[in-house]
Amino acid sequence: MILYYFLKVSVTSHTKDLIASLSHLRFNIIPSKQKRFDRRMELRSGSAVGGVPLNDLPEGCWANVLSLTTPRDACRLSAVSPIFKSAAESDVVWQSFLPHDLESILSTAPDGSLLMSSASSKKEVYFSLCDNPIIVDNGRKSFSLEKKSGKKCYVLSAMDLEITWGDTPMYWTWNSISDSRFAEVAELKDVCWFEIRGKISTCLLSPETLYTAYLVYKFPPRTYGFDNQPVDVTMRLDEGEIGARTVSWNPQGRRRYINGSVTVRGSVHYPKERGDGWLETELGDFFSAEGEDGELEMRLFDDSGQWKSGFVLDGIEIRPKDVSRAAS
């Protein structure tokens, strides 16, 4: 019996895993035309394997197949086929999309045990972590999942960063503000030596994933010293430099005055406004390899000697790189 399955979605590598899994179930998947097969298959009603209708195959069988795809593919499949709809609600499927060390991560979160005990399913846990980042590491980090892939995302709070003179009240103060997820943010009073370092163990990140780090900050109404000086950024892995660039504090298109003593590394990277009211500046990319266990450091440095004031630091966010946005 020939199985055709029609999907109005693009075929990803995980969807190809799905096809391979179906073939292990002794289905004969035959493309009518190779070009069309890259994007669609068609499920002929009443298909059967060994005389057994596909709809009568155990739900656990389909759940195991879906667990080999991605969260996005599982949702798409459940929407277009009744065969997958029920299986896509299975804890087997959504447990496979959750990090294997989730219990350990949530053990450092005040609300971690409540999340696990109050959720009615693994699917609910998954989407809660996507939509509602949870504070972990005793308030020093924020943890969430990327919705389409289930990859780990972290925000290192300002408290988790190394800020030069950050513990000196005449230069920096620590305050609570309503639009930060953390208990405190760092507010700059006045410095001429501006340096911020963030570090994270690579074993905390999802393997085989390209990440991008962002500085998350904002400017209060009264600020000065940030308009005329680009800033150097470096990324290091276990003391070896893996990337360097120059960033600007000004949105692209705004007039900027560049100090001639600063060497601009490649093209200047500009901040972008986020949906939560903060600004973010891209610091660089890092590929988290399988089995990687090192320390990733991000350093932002301005030693121009120009005095600065009026800067609010929320933290450094590390999330999977949005390849589609980067391509556009």
Side-chain angles (χ1 to χ4, degrees):
M1 181 64 65
I2 300 175
L3 172 69
Y4 294 88
Y5 188 61
F6 179 73
L7 289 176
K8 295 183 178 178
V9 295
S10 59
V11 175
T12 66
S13 60
H14 293 282
T15 309
K16 292 177 181 178
D17 288 339
L18 168 63
I19 297 171
S21 300
L22 291 173
S23 67
H24 293 160
L25 297 175
R26 298 185 178 278
F27 298 162
N28 295 316
I29 301 178
I30 303 176
S32 57
K33 292 184 179 180
Q34 185 61 43
K35 290 183 179 180
R36 292 184 180 179
F37 183 67
D38 288 337
R39 289 188 175 276
R40 64 179 65 182
M41 291 175 288
E42 180 181 4
L43 180 61
R44 181 174 296 172
S45 178
S47 296
V49 177
V52 179
L54 297 182
N55 289 335
D56 291 345
L57 288 174
E59 182 179 300
C61 174
W62 296 112
N64 288 331
V65 169
L66 291 179
S67 69
L68 297 175
T69 66
T70 66
R72 179 166 59 180
D73 285 338
C75 291
R76 286 172 167 175
L77 288 165
S78 67
V80 300
S81 170
I83 291 178
F84 295 118
K85 186 173 182 179
S86 179
E89 299 296 321
S90 169
D91 276 353
V92 171
V93 175
W94 293 97
Q95 180 66 54
S96 71
F97 298 149
L98 292 170
H100 67 86
D101 57 347
L102 180 61
E103 185 175 342
S104 175
I105 295 172
L106 295 183
S107 68
T108 64
D111 300 327
S113 58
L114 177 62
L115 170 64
M116 299 300 291
S117 62
S118 62
S120 60
S121 66
K122 298 298 183 182
K123 182 178 181 180
E124 184 178 337
V125 172
Y126 179 89
F127 282 105
S128 177
L129 290 171
C130 293
D131 298 330
N132 304 291
I134 191 167
I135 302 299
V136 299
D137 194 14
N138 300 310
R140 302 180 69 85
K141 294 181 179 67
S142 169
F143 171 77
S144 63
L145 299 177
E146 184 186 48
K147 185 173 290 187
K148 65 181 179 181
S149 68
K151 302 288 188 179
K152 298 177 184 176
C153 306
Y154 280 95
V155 179
L156 313 182
S157 70
M159 297 178 292
D160 204 32
L161 306 178
E162 297 176 17
I163 305 172
T164 300
W165 304 113
D167 57 353
T168 307
M170 68 180 294
Y171 298 124
W172 290 85
T173 61
W174 294 85
N175 302 304
S176 298
I177 60 176
S178 60
D179 54 353
S180 173
R181 69 188 71 184
F182 299 109
E184 289 185 324
V185 297
E187 296 193 32
L188 174 61
K189 294 185 67 175
D190 212 20
V191 295
C192 64
W193 184 284
F194 190 91
E195 182 179 21
I196 299 170
R197 294 175 185 261
K199 299 178 181 179
I200 187 172
S201 175
T202 57
C203 66
L204 295 178
L205 305 175
S206 296
E208 299 302 302
T209 303
L210 180 61
Y211 279 93
T212 302
Y214 300 86
L215 187 74
V216 182
Y217 61 97
K218 66 170 53 178
F219 292 114
R222 297 185 63 181
T223 183
Y224 65 80
F226 291 92
D227 282 344
N228 60 354
Q229 189 68 37
V231 185
D232 286 332
V233 175
T234 57
M235 295 186 68
R236 305 175 69 88
L237 179 62
D238 291 338
E239 302 303 322
E241 186 172 300
I242 59 174
R245 62 177 54 182
T246 300
V247 301
S248 170
W249 297 115
N250 298 312
Q252 190 169 8
R254 179 178 170 184
R255 185 181 180 185
R256 53 193 191 281
Y257 304 86
I258 298 179
N259 188 313
S261 66
V262 174
T263 300
V264 177
R265 307 189 184 194
S267 59
V268 178
H269 293 257
Y270 300 94
K272 296 180 180 179
E273 293 186 5
R274 296 159 54 102
D276 56 8
W278 294 82
L279 295 171
E280 67 177 24
T281 294
E282 186 176 312
L283 302 180
D285 299 334
F286 165 74
F287 183 76
S288 176
E290 184 74 44
E292 188 84 62
D293 187 10
E295 184 177 67
L296 176 67
E297 178 187 273
M298 299 138 287
R299 177 177 182 255
L300 186 141
F301 183 53
D302 176 5
D303 63 347
S304 65
Q306 179 172 352
W307 287 89
K308 296 173 174 58
S309 179
F311 175 88
V312 182
L313 175 62
D314 193 44
I316 292 179
E317 180 168 8
I318 303 168
R319 64 179 188 259
K321 187 176 185 66
D322 189 340
V323 180
S324 61
R325 178 179 298 180
S328 61

